[in-house]
Amino acid sequence: MIIVMKMNATETDVQRVADRIIELGLRTHLSQGEERTIIGVIGDNRPVNREMFERMEGVEKVMRVLPPFKLASRDFKPDDTVIPLNGTRIGDRQVVVMAGPCAVEDRVQMREVAHAVKEAGVKILRGGAFKPRTSPYSFQGLGRKGLEILAEVRDEFGLAIVTEVMAPEDVPLVAEYADILQVGARNMQNYALLHALGANGKPVLLKRGMMSTLQELLMSAEYILSHGNYQVMLCERGIRTFEPYTRNTFDINAIPALKGLTHLPVIADPSHGTGKWDLVAAVSKAAVAAGADGLIIEVHPHPSRALSDGAQSLKPETFARLMVELQAVAQAVGREL
Amino acid sequence: MIIVMKMNATETDVQRVADRIIELGLRTHLSQGEERTIIGVIGDNRPVNREMFERMEGVEKVMRVLPPFKLASRDFKPDDTVIPLNGTRIGDRQVVVMAGPCAVEDRVQMREVAHAVKEAGVKILRGGAFKPRTSPYSFQGLGRKGLEILAEVRDEFGLAIVTEVMAPEDVPLVAEYADILQVGARNMQNYALLHALGANGKPVLLKRGMMSTLQELLMSAEYILSHGNYQVMLCERGIRTFEPYTRNTFDINAIPALKGLTHLPVIADPSHGTGKWDLVAAVSKAAVAAGADGLIIEVHPHPSRALSDGAQSLKPETFARLMVELQAVAQAVGREL
Amino acid sequence: MIIVMKMNATETDVQRVADRIIELGLRTHLSQGEERTIIGVIGDNRPVNREMFERMEGVEKVMRVLPPFKLASRDFKPDDTVIPLNGTRIGDRQVVVMAGPCAVEDRVQMREVAHAVKEAGVKILRGGAFKPRTSPYSFQGLGRKGLEILAEVRDEFGLAIVTEVMAPEDVPLVAEYADILQVGARNMQNYALLHALGANGKPVLLKRGMMSTLQELLMSAEYILSHGNYQVMLCERGIRTFEPYTRNTFDINAIPALKGLTHLPVIADPSHGTGKWDLVAAVSKAAVAAGADGLIIEVHPHPSRALSDGAQSLKPETFARLMVELQAVAQAVGREL
Amino acid sequence: MIIVMKMNATETDVQRVADRIIELGLRTHLSQGEERTIIGVIGDNRPVNREMFERMEGVEKVMRVLPPFKLASRDFKPDDTVIPLNGTRIGDRQVVVMAGPCAVEDRVQMREVAHAVKEAGVKILRGGAFKPRTSPYSFQGLGRKGLEILAEVRDEFGLAIVTEVMAPEDVPLVAEYADILQVGARNMQNYALLHALGANGKPVLLKRGMMSTLQELLMSAEYILSHGNYQVMLCERGIRTFEPYTRNTFDINAIPALKGLTHLPVIADPSHGTGKWDLVAAVSKAAVAAGADGLIIEVHPHPSRALSDGAQSLKPETFARLMVELQAVAQAVGREL
């Protein structure tokens, strides 16, 4: 942490800041510039509240030197985290594709999708039983009934299941049925939920909030990791910007950036990242070319009858074609599908 | 709902869309423009999933005509909602000020603040017992112990209490101690929490998410209202933008905009809206001048020792001065403090 | 400037950075933290390209300590800049209101507006002759003819004129007719234009770009100031955010923030800042309460026939009422209109 | 255009709107919904100012049905525009790479880069002679001298030249030396400049403004096209968002979105799109995988001594490796480099 003093800060101001630093068990390092005095704080100051200093007399600003996340950082764990699941190894050489509908609607729909995505080579099926919806008048998901359908389909087709959990008290229930527990974008900073998932220990797919920075995403992962659960995948699913043409702006930069900052696997969600089915193939290929460890793609047998996210869902035949194209791109960047 | 067909849409495309509209129990109205055919959907189509149509052959785009919220709208309830509390009437002529520290730290701190804000004319004390923090290494609040301190201070000073609740299972506990239950910005779309608050029935202060549109804020209020709990206050607390100088960008437009769209009281939070104590007074006065029904302001006896949000907290004496200035602004716009 | 080295930076890396600093005529100050080495750069490094260091081996990041603007800063000139014009003193105790239509349409319209705003107490008339329009199919302004109309109206009514200039080669022409030359939001970083205005010397109203930070706004002002023209007013006119309900998000924080950072007068444009006429009064009052030195408001005798910006223009009678209300708010914050 | 009337609009309100539509030479189509009356406007209403209607009594909102751009649209010209240049065909099967330094610094530097990029297979050299810089204290480019160096290098190495033009009066000069005239992001809505480039007729590389929507980008292209100059390339170079880790957020969605909306070639600028050299390779590959027609990449022989943009410039050897990798990705999506 670096504390920049104001141009007109007095010696007493500087002394008071230095005293406070020492009071907190840290050491100081003064540097007298031509226009400003700068005080370096020596020691692990991650738990120290930066704002304390910002409010002291004569302080202009406080800048952090250390990244605030630790367990999630490459500095802490240089090797890639690999999560083995249903014969795949997420975070390893293979690019893992998860596919399925936004919401579990009924058994017929899920069997149809499961069959189609399995044919296309998928090993992990997605489908929401608990659905966070902006409107109380929209379909809210089948809940426990949806989980049961997912379990049946899992057994029948030999697919692993990824599904969302919305509340801490639902974690044990959802963990019974799911292989990967998904944290939705709106819940990225639902800390009660993150604690519960950390304690539970099952693999977690943590979606980036639509207006969360990469650092905040890593801090939310840190909550889970700090409970000893290292099976965390980060998911870039588009951020909110001023551009109205697409539902979100898929942040392609986030993929190589996260791969550099952290050892955790990075998954891309081009369905939410675009919101438009006809952009999904292009952005899927882009994500793989940029180094994503996996994709999560919405597929629905009848998008124009889907109870949610129809506009961004691929039909099974379009998805099957995309899988072939993705294979070529994966190979071009030294990976396989 | 208006469905715009593509330039090259066929008659069959148009017919299929019309058939689907009728299948949903609604009526159609066709309009043949020079370049596009447009299909109007007649009937209350709020529960209808717009995306269904977006995925049909020949459809270019679908535009909503009706606002998606109903109970929260002025069309539904033209008169202002007024929430009586501890001798004040929130949403009425008086501008209500809630003040106190970000977090409850200990009894001494809370008694000091309570005394100071009461002296300054405040009737509602804020203070967080459960704290959502970006970092797992930051102070997370005192929890139940914090609530007990709040209750003691309430009894001693005759102040009403507003405090945050973060998880649905905590609603009954927090409701025991608090007069107003606050939903934090990160939880604006925590639907399990909104349901629990709707069912509980106590007054709710619903903070706008840092990434949420006004419409989404109103939809979250709609969740609470749809349970029959109409004691909801909306709180503008700044949105996330590209501007790094301030912690958030306080959306002053939101105040008159919300007053036009809804009957619910609108509260302004200039502390989070700026993140800098030296901007709080100016933005507080601006919010009152723009028509806010209330303010919620962070006050701490020793900001440079606060466990959270010190940078944006006012000292008691600065706050007392601000209360006097606010009185003048309130009168200038035909209200009182 | 502070240079933070990577955890694994070698002594040679540190030495190379230090050598480069000395090569640039500056001095270094090393600080050895527990996890990182930090190199302080001593001396005025404003002209130094930060990126040079970012690309050196072993460097993690480079942070600026000094603000990059100098002439525009309060540190450089603590006293408020006051611009005397047509009997008013912009930047002084009086809040100055500029009003008029978006575009000069014809003589009849301008005389009607000029009469109305003068009656309401206005001394500076706005009106665009050169109009930047998103679409080539929209009305582009009357050009020189518009300037002539402005000049006639100025003489008849004794009003000063503020009007936009879009290209450097037009500066002499527009300066002949106008008392204040306006730089539009889209041109805030049109450096050729800023140079021309700096050289010309007439008062400039510099609008913040819709995508520009406060620091970038101050850097654009610095371009003009560095030519010796200190008659610059900064104008907050709303920034682009994700919120679709309003045309822009008026950044009320910018007003007290700029007043703290710079000595230049700060003007608010609630017409563009909201894009909706029915929000203009509330945001105008807010801007004055927050400390704005002036307002620029769009007024049109027949908004529903205006060739541009009708949706955000006030009718003369609404504007006259607003002027009365603004008087009360100005007094409440110790100023006058 | 669709005009939605308010719930409480009177018959007179509706009639007045209808009369105005007819007065403008268009036709109306009324649709009576259960809660709102809707008025369709029939006829080409692109030149009609939407705001006129927004200000009429009883109008709730006005929604555009037709996209506001015409010449740039795929509806108008379904086939891809191809721009032949120096043996390449931009917009055709080949992915075209333009490379070189941000700024022309001197002859030695340019010859070094030109040699390197030509070796790597590049046919178009970039380099700025006129540089728009945020700070008046930064290097502003060599101007005419820079153009002369570019011309010499062009002749020596047989490369085509792309370079920025910042002011309308410089268009003839720059056009003398350059094969492609670049409009920088800050000038995307500098309409005087767009007019001059439309009239000039040489190929234009139009960069998206950092906070411009795709529609605004297409409207700026429309300005150039409307002068009869169809040799326009659109360039996605990252947009401004809340994410501070990268300089900009590269909008990968924009590539397939633009390819669908327009016939113009789409170029990607991963250097500005990320601002960090170590993300450039990943995002370059992503852009090609997503369907970009070309790339423009910053290459500098000594990035840590570059006068601008060093942090995002590749060294020649890194660039050469990237060219090989790009070849594989291009082939995977059915194209070549």
Side-chain angles (χ1 to χ4, degrees):
Chain A
M1 198 147 59
I2 298 281
I3 299 169
V4 180
M5 302 302 292
K6 284 185 182 156
M7 220 169 165
N8 56 4
T10 65
E11 274 181 49
T12 318
D13 293 339
V14 173
Q15 195 52 52
R16 277 212 200 91
V17 171
D19 290 349
R20 170 63 62 84
I21 292 168
I22 287 155
E23 184 189 330
L24 291 162
L26 301 161
R27 279 167 303 121
T28 66
H29 182 102
L30 252 79
S31 164
Q32 187 61 53
E34 279 179 12
E35 303 187 25
R36 298 281 193 287
T37 296
I38 288 162
I39 309 174
V41 182
I42 317 285
D44 182 359
N45 47 59
R46 278 191 191 81
V48 173
N49 180 2
R50 184 178 67 180
E51 299 194 29
M52 286 192 172
F53 296 105
E54 282 177 347
R55 267 318 286 281
M56 294 188 75
E57 213 60 48
V59 172
E60 182 166 305
K61 59 178 171 182
V62 182
M63 302 187 288
R64 284 211 175 271
V65 168
L66 301 178
F69 49 91
K70 190 164 185 174
L71 308 178
S73 75
R74 278 252 179 232
D75 280 347
F76 179 77
K77 177 174 181 302
D79 294 336
D80 286 343
T81 288
V82 173
I83 302 171
L85 190 81
N86 199 25
T88 65
R89 289 172 49 80
I90 304 169
D92 208 344
R93 192 167 173 277
Q94 196 188 16
V95 177
V96 176
V97 180
M98 316 178 191
C102 175
V104 178
E105 294 168 11
D106 56 47
R107 185 173 294 110
V108 175
Q109 170 229 26
M110 282 312 297
R111 291 191 66 242
E112 204 172 340
V113 174
H115 179 263
V117 301
K118 181 164 190 177
E119 282 289 296
V122 164
K123 295 209 178 65
I124 305 174
L125 179 69
R126 65 154 288 157
F130 295 96
K131 299 301 308 168
R133 301 301 298 274
T134 308
S135 168
Y137 309 124
S138 299
F139 174 62
Q140 308 272 323
L142 296 181
R144 178 189 277 268
K145 176 73 195 152
L147 293 175
E148 288 167 5
I149 294 175
L150 283 170
E152 285 177 39
V153 171
R154 169 170 61 175
D155 292 346
E156 183 177 352
F157 293 91
L159 292 160
I161 298 291
V162 53
T163 197
E164 178 161 355
V165 56
M166 284 171 62
E169 64 265 34
D170 294 337
V171 169
L173 173 72
V174 178
E176 235 178 84
Y177 292 93
D179 302 287
I180 303 174
L181 298 165
Q182 178 183 316
V183 179
R186 292 179 183 87
N187 279 318
M188 193 199 87
Q189 296 189 317
N190 182 334
Y191 301 117
L193 183 60
L194 300 180
H195 280 299
L197 289 165
N200 177 275
K202 272 220 167 174
V204 175
L205 181 75
L206 178 64
K207 290 198 149 191
R208 180 182 183 184
M210 72 175 79
M211 220 153 174
S212 300
T213 62
L214 296 181
Q215 185 171 298
E216 287 166 347
L217 172 59
L218 289 164
M219 290 310 289
S220 286
E222 191 91 359
Y223 263 92
I224 304 173
L225 270 55
S226 67
H227 284 272
N229 182 359
Y230 270 71
Q231 301 200 81
V232 176
M233 293 156 257
L234 305 176
C235 181
E236 163 58 34
R237 45 75 73 203
I239 55 173
R240 182 163 272 186
T241 68
F242 61 84
E243 174 59 59
Y245 185 76
T246 44
R247 180 171 170 185
N248 290 294
T249 296
F250 185 83
D251 181 4
I252 191 83
N253 293 353
I255 295 174
L258 287 171
K259 293 301 291 178
L261 290 167
T262 183
H263 50 86
L264 300 171
V266 177
I267 309 298
D269 176 349
S271 305
H272 288 87
T274 61
K276 286 183 139 75
W277 75 269
D278 54 339
L279 305 181
V280 168
V283 175
S284 297
K285 288 183 263 186
V288 171
D293 296 307
L295 296 169
I296 181 162
I297 298 178
E298 291 192 342
V299 178
H300 195 287
H302 311 288
S304 67
R305 292 189 174 271
L307 295 182
S308 64
D309 281 359
Q312 68 196 36
S313 297
L314 297 185
K315 291 184 188 170
E317 54 272 25
T318 318
F319 175 70
R321 265 201 309 279
L322 173 58
M323 286 293 279
V324 176
E325 295 171 8
L326 286 172
Q327 180 69 41
V329 176
Q331 281 167 359
V333 294
R335 302 182 77 161
E336 60 193 31
L337 211 62
Chain B
M1 198 148 58
I2 298 280
I3 299 168
V4 180
M5 303 300 293
K6 283 185 181 155
M7 219 171 166
N8 57 5
T10 64
E11 275 183 45
T12 318
D13 293 341
V14 173
Q15 195 52 52
R16 278 212 200 92
V17 171
D19 290 350
R20 170 61 64 83
I21 292 167
I22 287 156
E23 187 189 328
L24 290 164
L26 301 161
R27 281 167 301 122
T28 67
H29 182 101
L30 252 77
S31 163
Q32 186 62 52
E34 279 178 13
E35 302 186 25
R36 298 281 192 289
T37 296
I38 288 162
I39 309 174
V41 181
I42 317 284
D44 182 359
N45 47 59
R46 278 191 191 81
V48 173
N49 179 2
R50 183 178 70 179
E51 300 194 28
M52 287 192 170
F53 295 106
E54 282 178 346
R55 267 318 286 280
M56 295 188 75
E57 213 61 47
V59 172
E60 184 166 303
K61 60 176 171 182
V62 182
M63 301 185 289
R64 285 214 174 270
V65 168
L66 300 178
F69 50 89
K70 193 164 183 172
L71 308 178
S73 75
R74 278 252 179 234
D75 279 347
F76 179 77
K77 177 173 181 304
D79 293 337
D80 286 345
T81 288
V82 173
I83 302 172
L85 191 80
N86 198 27
T88 65
R89 290 171 49 80
I90 305 169
D92 208 343
R93 192 166 174 278
Q94 195 186 18
V95 176
V96 176
V97 180
M98 315 178 191
C102 176
V104 178
E105 295 168 12
D106 56 47
R107 185 171 296 110
V108 175
Q109 168 228 27
M110 283 311 297
R111 290 191 66 241
E112 204 172 340
V113 175
H115 179 264
V117 301
K118 181 163 190 178
E119 283 289 296
V122 164
K123 294 208 179 65
I124 305 175
L125 178 70
R126 66 154 289 158
F130 295 96
K131 298 301 308 170
R133 301 302 298 273
T134 307
S135 166
Y137 310 124
S138 299
F139 174 62
Q140 309 273 323
L142 297 180
R144 178 189 277 269
K145 176 72 194 153
L147 294 176
E148 288 166 6
I149 294 175
L150 283 170
E152 285 176 39
V153 171
R154 169 172 59 176
D155 293 346
E156 182 177 351
F157 293 91
L159 292 161
I161 299 291
V162 52
T163 196
E164 178 160 356
V165 56
M166 284 172 62
E169 65 267 33
D170 294 337
V171 169
L173 173 71
V174 179
E176 235 177 83
Y177 293 92
D179 302 285
I180 303 176
L181 298 166
Q182 177 182 318
V183 179
R186 293 179 182 87
N187 279 318
M188 193 199 86
Q189 295 189 315
N190 182 336
Y191 300 117
L193 183 60
L194 300 181
H195 280 298
L197 289 165
N200 176 275
K202 271 220 167 174
V204 175
L205 180 75
L206 178 65
K207 290 198 148 191
R208 180 182 183 183
M210 73 175 76
M211 72 293 174
S212 299
T213 63
L214 296 181
Q215 186 171 296
E216 288 165 348
L217 172 59
L218 289 165
M219 291 309 291
S220 286
E222 191 89 0
Y223 264 91
I224 304 172
L225 270 55
S226 67
H227 283 273
N229 182 358
Y230 268 70
Q231 300 200 81
V232 176
M233 292 156 258
L234 306 175
C235 180
E236 163 59 32
R237 45 77 72 204
I239 56 173
R240 182 163 273 186
T241 68
F242 60 84
E243 174 59 58
Y245 185 76
T246 44
R247 181 171 170 185
N248 291 294
T249 296
F250 186 83
D251 182 4
I252 190 84
N253 293 352
I255 294 174
L258 287 171
K259 293 302 292 179
L261 291 167
T262 183
H263 50 86
L264 299 171
V266 177
I267 309 297
D269 176 349
S271 305
H272 288 87
T274 62
K276 285 183 141 74
W277 74 271
D278 53 339
L279 305 181
V280 168
V283 175
S284 296
K285 287 183 263 184
V288 171
D293 296 306
L295 297 170
I296 181 163
I297 297 178
E298 291 191 343
V299 178
H300 194 287
H302 312 287
S304 67
R305 293 189 174 271
L307 295 181
S308 64
D309 281 0
Q312 67 196 35
S313 297
L314 297 186
K315 290 184 189 169
E317 55 272 25
T318 318
F319 175 70
R321 265 200 309 279
L322 174 58
M323 286 293 281
V324 175
E325 294 171 8
L326 286 172
Q327 180 70 39
V329 177
Q331 281 167 358
V333 295
R335 300 182 77 160
E336 59 193 33
L337 210 64
Chain C
M1 198 149 57
I2 297 282
I3 298 170
V4 180
M5 301 301 291
K6 285 185 182 155
M7 218 169 166
N8 56 5
T10 64
E11 274 182 48
T12 319
D13 293 340
V14 173
Q15 195 52 52
R16 278 212 200 91
V17 171
D19 289 350
R20 170 62 63 84
I21 291 168
I22 288 155
E23 186 188 330
L24 291 163
L26 300 161
R27 281 167 301 120
T28 66
H29 183 101
L30 252 78
S31 163
Q32 186 63 52
E34 280 178 10
E35 303 186 24
R36 299 279 192 289
T37 296
I38 288 162
I39 309 173
V41 182
I42 316 285
D44 182 358
N45 47 59
R46 279 192 191 80
V48 173
N49 180 2
R50 182 178 69 181
E51 300 194 27
M52 286 192 170
F53 295 106
E54 282 177 347
R55 265 319 283 283
M56 294 189 76
E57 214 60 48
V59 172
E60 184 166 302
K61 59 178 171 180
V62 182
M63 302 186 288
R64 284 213 176 269
V65 169
L66 300 178
F69 49 90
K70 192 163 182 173
L71 308 179
S73 75
R74 279 251 180 233
D75 280 348
F76 179 78
K77 177 175 180 303
D79 294 336
D80 286 344
T81 288
V82 173
I83 302 171
L85 190 79
N86 199 25
T88 66
R89 289 170 52 81
I90 304 170
D92 208 343
R93 192 167 174 277
Q94 195 186 18
V95 177
V96 176
V97 180
M98 314 177 192
C102 175
V104 177
E105 296 168 11
D106 56 46
R107 186 171 295 110
V108 175
Q109 169 229 25
M110 284 310 297
R111 293 191 65 242
E112 204 172 340
V113 174
H115 180 264
V117 301
K118 182 163 188 177
E119 282 288 297
V122 164
K123 295 208 179 66
I124 305 174
L125 178 70
R126 64 155 287 158
F130 295 96
K131 299 300 308 168
R133 301 301 298 273
T134 308
S135 167
Y137 309 124
S138 299
F139 174 63
Q140 309 273 322
L142 297 180
R144 178 189 277 267
K145 177 73 195 151
L147 293 175
E148 289 165 6
I149 294 175
L150 283 170
E152 285 177 39
V153 171
R154 170 171 59 175
D155 292 345
E156 182 178 351
F157 294 91
L159 292 160
I161 299 290
V162 52
T163 196
E164 178 161 355
V165 57
M166 285 172 62
E169 66 265 34
D170 295 338
V171 168
L173 173 71
V174 178
E176 236 177 84
Y177 293 94
D179 302 286
I180 303 175
L181 297 166
Q182 177 182 319
V183 178
R186 293 179 181 87
N187 278 319
M188 192 199 86
Q189 295 189 317
N190 183 334
Y191 301 116
L193 183 60
L194 299 180
H195 280 299
L197 289 164
N200 176 276
K202 271 220 167 175
V204 175
L205 180 74
L206 178 64
K207 291 198 148 190
R208 180 180 183 185
M210 71 174 79
M211 71 295 177
S212 299
T213 63
L214 295 182
Q215 186 170 296
E216 288 165 348
L217 172 60
L218 289 164
M219 290 310 290
S220 286
E222 191 90 359
Y223 263 91
I224 305 173
L225 269 55
S226 66
H227 283 274
N229 182 358
Y230 269 69
Q231 301 201 80
V232 176
M233 293 156 257
L234 306 175
C235 181
E236 163 60 33
R237 45 76 74 203
I239 56 174
R240 182 163 271 186
T241 69
F242 60 84
E243 174 59 59
Y245 185 75
T246 43
R247 181 171 170 185
N248 291 294
T249 296
F250 186 83
D251 182 3
I252 191 83
N253 294 352
I255 295 174
L258 287 171
K259 292 301 292 178
L261 291 167
T262 184
H263 49 86
L264 299 170
V266 177
I267 310 296
D269 176 349
S271 305
H272 288 87
T274 61
K276 287 182 140 73
W277 73 271
D278 53 338
L279 305 181
V280 168
V283 175
S284 297
K285 287 182 263 185
V288 172
D293 297 306
L295 297 169
I296 181 162
I297 298 178
E298 291 191 343
V299 178
H300 195 285
H302 310 287
S304 67
R305 291 187 175 272
L307 295 182
S308 65
D309 282 359
Q312 68 196 36
S313 297
L314 297 185
K315 290 184 189 170
E317 54 272 26
T318 318
F319 175 70
R321 265 199 309 280
L322 173 58
M323 286 292 281
V324 175
E325 294 171 9
L326 286 172
Q327 179 71 39
V329 176
Q331 281 167 357
V333 294
R335 299 182 79 161
E336 58 192 33
L337 210 63
Chain D
M1 196 147 60
I2 297 281
I3 299 169
V4 179
M5 303 300 293
K6 284 186 181 155
M7 220 170 165
N8 56 5
T10 64
E11 274 181 50
T12 318
D13 293 339
V14 173
Q15 194 53 50
R16 277 212 201 92
V17 172
D19 289 351
R20 170 63 62 84
I21 292 168
I22 287 156
E23 185 188 329
L24 291 163
L26 301 161
R27 281 167 301 121
T28 67
H29 182 102
L30 251 78
S31 165
Q32 186 61 54
E34 280 178 11
E35 302 187 24
R36 296 281 192 288
T37 297
I38 287 161
I39 309 174
V41 181
I42 317 285
D44 182 359
N45 47 59
R46 277 192 192 80
V48 173
N49 180 2
R50 183 178 70 180
E51 299 194 27
M52 287 191 170
F53 295 107
E54 283 177 346
R55 267 317 286 280
M56 295 188 75
E57 213 61 47
V59 172
E60 183 165 304
K61 60 177 169 181
V62 182
M63 301 187 288
R64 284 214 175 270
V65 169
L66 301 178
F69 49 90
K70 192 164 184 173
L71 308 178
S73 75
R74 278 253 180 232
D75 281 347
F76 179 78
K77 178 173 180 303
D79 294 336
D80 285 344
T81 287
V82 173
I83 302 172
L85 190 81
N86 199 26
T88 66
R89 290 171 51 80
I90 304 169
D92 208 344
R93 190 166 175 278
Q94 197 187 15
V95 176
V96 176
V97 180
M98 314 177 192
C102 175
V104 178
E105 295 168 11
D106 56 47
R107 186 172 294 111
V108 176
Q109 168 228 28
M110 283 311 297
R111 291 191 66 241
E112 204 172 341
V113 174
H115 180 264
V117 301
K118 181 163 189 176
E119 283 288 296
V122 164
K123 295 207 179 65
I124 306 175
L125 179 70
R126 66 154 287 157
F130 296 95
K131 300 300 308 168
R133 300 302 297 275
T134 307
S135 167
Y137 309 123
S138 299
F139 174 63
Q140 309 272 322
L142 297 181
R144 178 189 277 267
K145 176 72 196 155
L147 293 176
E148 289 166 5
I149 294 175
L150 283 170
E152 286 176 39
V153 172
R154 169 170 62 176
D155 292 346
E156 182 177 351
F157 294 92
L159 293 160
I161 299 290
V162 53
T163 197
E164 178 161 356
V165 58
M166 284 172 63
E169 65 266 34
D170 294 336
V171 169
L173 173 72
V174 179
E176 234 178 84
Y177 293 93
D179 302 285
I180 303 175
L181 298 167
Q182 177 183 318
V183 179
R186 293 181 182 84
N187 278 318
M188 193 199 86
Q189 296 189 316
N190 182 335
Y191 300 116
L193 183 60
L194 300 180
H195 281 298
L197 289 164
N200 177 276
K202 271 221 167 174
V204 175
L205 180 74
L206 178 63
K207 290 199 147 190
R208 180 182 183 183
M210 71 175 78
M211 220 153 174
S212 300
T213 63
L214 296 181
Q215 185 171 297
E216 287 165 347
L217 172 60
L218 289 164
M219 291 309 291
S220 285
E222 191 90 359
Y223 264 91
I224 304 173
L225 270 55
S226 66
H227 283 273
N229 182 359
Y230 269 70
Q231 302 201 80
V232 176
M233 294 156 256
L234 305 176
C235 180
E236 164 59 33
R237 45 76 74 204
I239 56 174
R240 182 163 271 187
T241 68
F242 60 84
E243 174 59 58
Y245 185 75
T246 44
R247 181 171 170 185
N248 291 293
T249 296
F250 186 82
D251 182 2
I252 191 83
N253 293 352
I255 295 174
L258 287 171
K259 292 302 292 180
L261 291 167
T262 182
H263 49 86
L264 299 171
V266 177
I267 310 297
D269 175 349
S271 305
H272 287 87
T274 61
K276 285 183 140 74
W277 74 270
D278 53 338
L279 305 181
V280 168
V283 175
S284 296
K285 288 183 263 184
V288 171
D293 296 306
L295 296 169
I296 181 161
I297 297 178
E298 290 191 344
V299 178
H300 195 285
H302 312 288
S304 66
R305 292 188 175 271
L307 295 182
S308 64
D309 282 359
Q312 67 196 37
S313 297
L314 297 185
K315 290 184 189 169
E317 54 272 25
T318 318
F319 175 70
R321 266 200 309 279
L322 173 59
M323 285 294 279
V324 176
E325 295 171 8
L326 285 172
Q327 180 70 40
V329 176
Q331 281 167 359
V333 294
R335 301 183 76 160
E336 61 192 31
L337 211 63

